[in-house]
Amino acid sequence: DSSDITEIENYRNANYSEPNPKYFGKAKGMNVVYISLESLQSFIIDYKLDGQEVTPFLNSLVKDPNTFYFGNVFHQTGQGKTSDAEFLMENSLYPMSQGAVFINKAQNTFHATPAILKGHGYTSAVFHGNYKTFWNRNVMYKALGYDKFFDAEYYTMKDEETKNYGMKDKPFFKESIPLLASLKQPFYTKFITLSNHFPFEMDEGDTVFPKGTTGNDVVDHYFQSANYMDEAIEQFFNDLKASGLYDNTMIVMYGDHYGISENHNKAMSQVMGEEITPFVNAQLQRVPVFIHVPGVKAEKVDKFGGQIDVRPTALHLLGIDTKDFLEFGSDLLSPNHHEVVGFRNGDFVSPEVTQVNEKCYDSATGELVDDEAICTEKAERIKTELEMSDEIVLKDLLRFYTPDDYTPIDPKDYEYIKTDG
Ligand code: GP9
Ligand code: MN
């Protein structure tokens, strides 16, 4: 009820990170493209396999003057995988500790980015080469306020152009361009890639990139599928340029969750050149985040953050202050950004200390810290946040709260049915 909300509001107000005046509104009015980079972990950025860059295009963006690259962002997903990452990115709330929000709480009220931007004149759409019921997206997207959902029905889905869950990334992006160009501007869109998905095997002819040499198929194929995704993104950027959209579009890309699980630690130790201890494994949960803003002098951001922090960062670039939203993220570009990053299980990372399985490590050395109390305060903070976020999600609390300057949407107004033409 409303007393629960008041406590959360107070916490939220006390922890709000105000926008950086240097960047606030720098992308105001621009189109927005989000790209979910399937299973992409940060270790692959600038990684060389036998002298060859695995992701040369993304690596070039790290150095691009108009691109913010966030090298110390961690995924915070749970069992909802891709859908949890979507939820984090668009609501700045934590996913559920068990199960997927997308499946279990799609009837809730949310104040998600597509709905927020609708109030600023935006049209919104999702592009994904899988069928719309997967992860209950066709229901959840109504609660998030998506106007359109271009699912597998809108793509050719030819045999040679699909693999595992759906469209391969290159034909997916190719076929998406005319659909994207047909949208009323300004638009807010999300593209969910698929090719770099476990078990990462490629079809003959789709890649000439070498396999890894660990002898573990999952790890060895990851280099090939990550390279394929990198090429697909480069193709998409080129097509955006050719279509004239590029210069007026902010592009946000994020790794959705880890691709290589702890089952492959032995092979990963060869890849990383060090033993994959629980501490090192926590470090491997970094996912790359890029924000490209045309015409803006950007920087490399080393601050620690989580996926939960991307929404306030992006909305502040768009000139929308998130102060009044009930969210747990903190703007990564704010001088007051909070650098304690919670995982869904209550462990956390921060520049000073890292907690894994409730053990406290020095983040610089990976050594256990003698005085565990150093972790306690941060662990408490994360526990509080997870509890408050869970309250919101489990009790559907946002139905009792309307942020200032926010026009509520009604899920009943949306329907994702393909009509001919
Ligand atoms: C399927 C895609 C992949 O539509 O989202 O799902 P994942 O297994 O990564 O959650
Ligand atoms: Mn995924």
Side-chain angles (χ1 to χ4, degrees):
D1 59 21
S2 57
S3 69
D4 300 323
I5 280 277
T6 308
E7 200 196 331
I8 295 169
E9 244 186 293
N10 290 340
Y11 177 88
R12 158 74 181 135
N13 291 339
N15 289 285
Y16 165 69
S17 311
E18 76 286 355
N20 187 335
K22 207 165 131 194
Y23 298 121
F24 186 77
K26 282 290 186 279
K28 197 178 171 73
M30 286 186 192
N31 297 314
V32 182
V33 163
Y34 271 67
I35 305 176
S36 164
L37 304 168
E38 179 58 44
S39 300
L40 203 71
Q41 296 176 235
S42 299
F43 80 85
I44 208 81
I45 300 298
D46 280 332
Y47 191 88
K48 288 200 183 79
L49 187 71
D50 205 11
Q52 229 178 310
E53 291 177 73
V54 183
T55 57
F57 182 66
L58 293 176
N59 298 349
S60 76
L61 288 181
V62 173
K63 299 180 204 92
D64 179 79
N66 305 123
T67 302
F68 296 94
Y69 175 65
F70 304 89
N72 285 318
V73 170
F74 295 74
H75 84 83
Q76 298 167 302
T77 59
Q79 293 169 343
K81 308 295 293 187
T82 310
S83 73
D84 277 358
E86 293 180 58
F87 183 70
L88 279 148
M89 300 298 291
E90 295 184 325
N91 297 278
S92 193
L93 295 170
Y94 290 94
M96 293 166 77
S97 60
Q98 304 276 314
V101 195
F102 266 46
I103 290 177
N104 294 297
K105 297 293 165 192
Q107 310 302 332
N108 279 13
T109 295
F110 295 106
H111 305 139
T113 309
I116 294 168
L117 290 179
K118 192 181 192 69
H120 293 262
Y122 279 74
T123 309
S124 56
V126 182
F127 301 76
H128 185 42
N130 187 5
Y131 290 94
K132 63 185 172 191
T133 54
F134 200 92
W135 283 128
N136 201 32
R137 286 183 172 111
N138 59 324
V139 181
M140 184 63 166
Y141 286 167
K142 297 180 186 181
L144 302 181
Y146 270 108
D147 294 317
K148 295 200 157 95
F149 182 10
F150 299 111
D151 77 328
E153 285 185 66
Y154 291 81
Y155 295 87
T156 50
M157 300 297 279
K158 285 193 224 118
D159 248 7
E160 65 278 15
E161 293 183 341
T162 56
K163 180 94 181 163
N164 295 330
Y165 287 108
M167 289 292 285
K168 296 176 184 177
D169 294 346
K170 287 181 189 177
F172 163 65
F173 279 123
K174 237 337 147 212
E175 293 180 24
S176 297
I177 288 282
L179 298 170
L180 178 66
S182 76
L183 293 178
K184 186 170 164 289
Q185 298 187 37
F187 53 68
Y188 169 84
T189 56
K190 169 165 67 180
F191 293 77
I192 306 169
T193 64
L194 274 177
S195 292
N196 192 43
H197 196 285
F198 182 88
F200 311 113
E201 236 177 73
M202 304 290 298
D203 285 339
E204 190 97 26
D206 281 341
T207 183
V208 292
F209 199 79
K211 288 201 303 185
T213 54
T214 68
N216 172 318
D217 273 347
V218 167
V219 173
D220 290 350
H221 288 143
Y222 187 77
F223 296 104
Q224 295 183 305
S225 57
N227 175 260
Y228 174 87
M229 172 158 66
D230 185 73
E231 290 186 355
I233 304 236
E234 180 172 26
Q235 168 208 300
F236 185 52
F237 271 58
N238 287 336
D239 288 345
L240 284 176
K241 286 174 189 166
S243 69
L245 289 166
Y246 186 76
D247 290 329
N248 193 28
T249 299
M250 173 170 96
I251 304 172
V252 181
M253 300 192 282
Y254 66 96
D256 65 346
H257 49 72
Y258 67 77
I260 300 174
S261 76
E262 288 180 88
N263 298 334
H264 308 286
N265 276 355
K266 235 182 102 199
M268 278 303 284
S269 68
Q270 289 183 50
V271 171
M272 301 306 293
E274 64 177 327
E275 192 195 336
I276 311 300
T277 61
F279 171 81
V280 172
N281 182 61
Q283 307 308 317
L284 280 174
Q285 304 312 305
R286 283 178 171 81
V287 288
V289 174
F290 300 85
I291 304 183
H292 178 269
V293 189
V296 169
K297 202 179 165 321
E299 52 179 298
K300 305 309 132 209
V301 181
D302 292 328
K303 286 186 193 152
F304 278 49
Q307 288 168 325
I308 206 161
D309 298 323
V310 175
R311 184 173 89 164
T313 309
L315 284 181
H316 287 169
L317 282 165
L318 290 169
I320 297 163
D321 197 327
T322 65
K323 177 153 49 83
D324 211 39
F325 292 108
L326 293 187
E327 63 181 22
F328 292 94
S330 132
D331 182 347
L332 285 152
L333 298 172
S334 167
N336 268 324
H337 172 70
H338 305 297
E339 293 197 89
V340 183
V341 189
F343 294 120
R344 182 54 255 198
N345 68 0
D347 282 338
F348 66 84
V349 288
S350 78
E352 302 80 35
V353 283
T354 297
Q355 178 181 297
V356 188
N357 301 328
E358 300 189 15
K359 288 203 179 84
C360 187
Y361 299 85
D362 182 319
S363 293
T365 65
E367 301 292 326
L368 280 170
V369 169
D370 290 333
D371 180 9
E372 295 225 345
I374 299 176
C375 273
T376 314
E377 189 198 329
K378 292 183 166 67
E380 279 306 313
R381 185 192 152 95
I382 293 304
K383 188 162 168 270
T384 303
E385 278 195 10
L386 286 167
E387 280 169 8
M388 286 186 172
S389 182
D390 285 347
E391 286 254 300
I392 291 179
V393 171
L394 298 176
K395 297 185 184 166
D396 190 11
L397 290 185
L398 295 184
R399 74 197 140 122
F400 302 120
Y401 180 85
T402 304
D404 290 344
D405 299 325
Y406 173 77
T407 314
I409 54 111
D410 184 350
K412 287 197 284 295
D413 292 343
Y414 303 88
E415 199 62 73
Y416 309 118
I417 294 172
K418 185 175 189 256
T419 49
D420 289 326

